[in-house]
Amino acid sequence: MNGYRLYKKEKLCSNSAIDILFSPSAAKNGGNNSIMAYPWRAVWRINNARHHTCPQFLITVPKKRLRKAVDRVRMRRRLREAYRLGREALPADTPADIAFIYVADTLTPYTASQRSVRKILSRIAEATQAADSLTSS
């Protein structure tokens, strides 16, 4: 991707991909991975069946955690901004599906979200590079 814009093809919208991402059977078979970096938790998997090769993501902020809609929207915006600025940590040709789930009970500052997203993205990049090196050799 050129520039810092978030494109539509970077958003995970496919219901079947989301169902597979959160299905317990895929998690048991080792298809899904989870990373925790407070205040965000990420569930991700490599989806080779998709025609876009860029990583796709979705954001969930549960109503159980943040009761006010204004607070939920604020945290979604903070994560989108952190992802937009930190996505170069992931290789652009990795077909990963990533779901970011908010786990804190209160609003957290943007710097905490940014640090968390960078840690998550770097761990995903390390894991995909390790998997690529195992399959190529």
Side-chain angles (χ1 to χ4, degrees):
M1 299 302 138
N2 294 344
Y4 289 107
R5 181 177 168 209
L6 270 179
Y7 293 91
K8 170 70 175 166
K9 62 183 174 181
E10 293 182 78
K11 296 178 183 175
L12 184 60
C13 300
S14 169
N15 287 333
S16 60
I18 294 169
D19 289 342
I20 292 170
L21 188 61
F22 288 109
S23 71
S25 62
K28 287 179 186 175
N29 296 333
N32 298 346
N33 302 297
S34 180
I35 299 171
M36 176 69 187
Y38 190 82
W40 294 97
R41 180 176 154 253
V43 177
W44 66 279
R45 69 184 280 272
I46 299 297
N47 186 358
N48 292 320
R50 146 160 71 89
H51 57 85
H52 293 298
T53 59
C54 67
Q56 291 184 338
F57 75 102
L58 69 90
I59 304 167
T60 60
V61 181
K63 192 174 185 180
K64 183 178 181 180
R65 300 288 180 189
L66 295 176
R67 298 296 298 171
K68 295 182 181 177
V70 184
D71 295 339
R72 292 193 301 272
V73 169
R74 180 176 292 159
M75 289 313 301
R76 278 194 293 270
R77 285 181 178 169
R78 286 180 181 174
L79 179 103
R80 258 196 318 265
E81 181 70 7
Y83 179 81
R84 184 181 70 86
L85 294 174
R87 67 180 167 201
E88 62 268 354
L90 282 176
D93 59 345
T94 305
D97 294 340
I98 308 167
F100 291 98
I101 305 160
Y102 191 69
V103 294
D105 289 332
T106 58
L107 282 175
T108 55
Y110 171 73
T111 54
S113 289
Q114 186 179 26
R115 197 174 324 119
S116 173
V117 168
R118 285 188 180 176
K119 187 182 293 186
I120 288 169
L121 293 178
S122 66
R123 287 185 188 170
I124 292 173
E126 290 171 6
T128 56
Q129 288 173 354
D132 287 343
S133 65
L134 287 177
T135 57
S136 65
S137 54

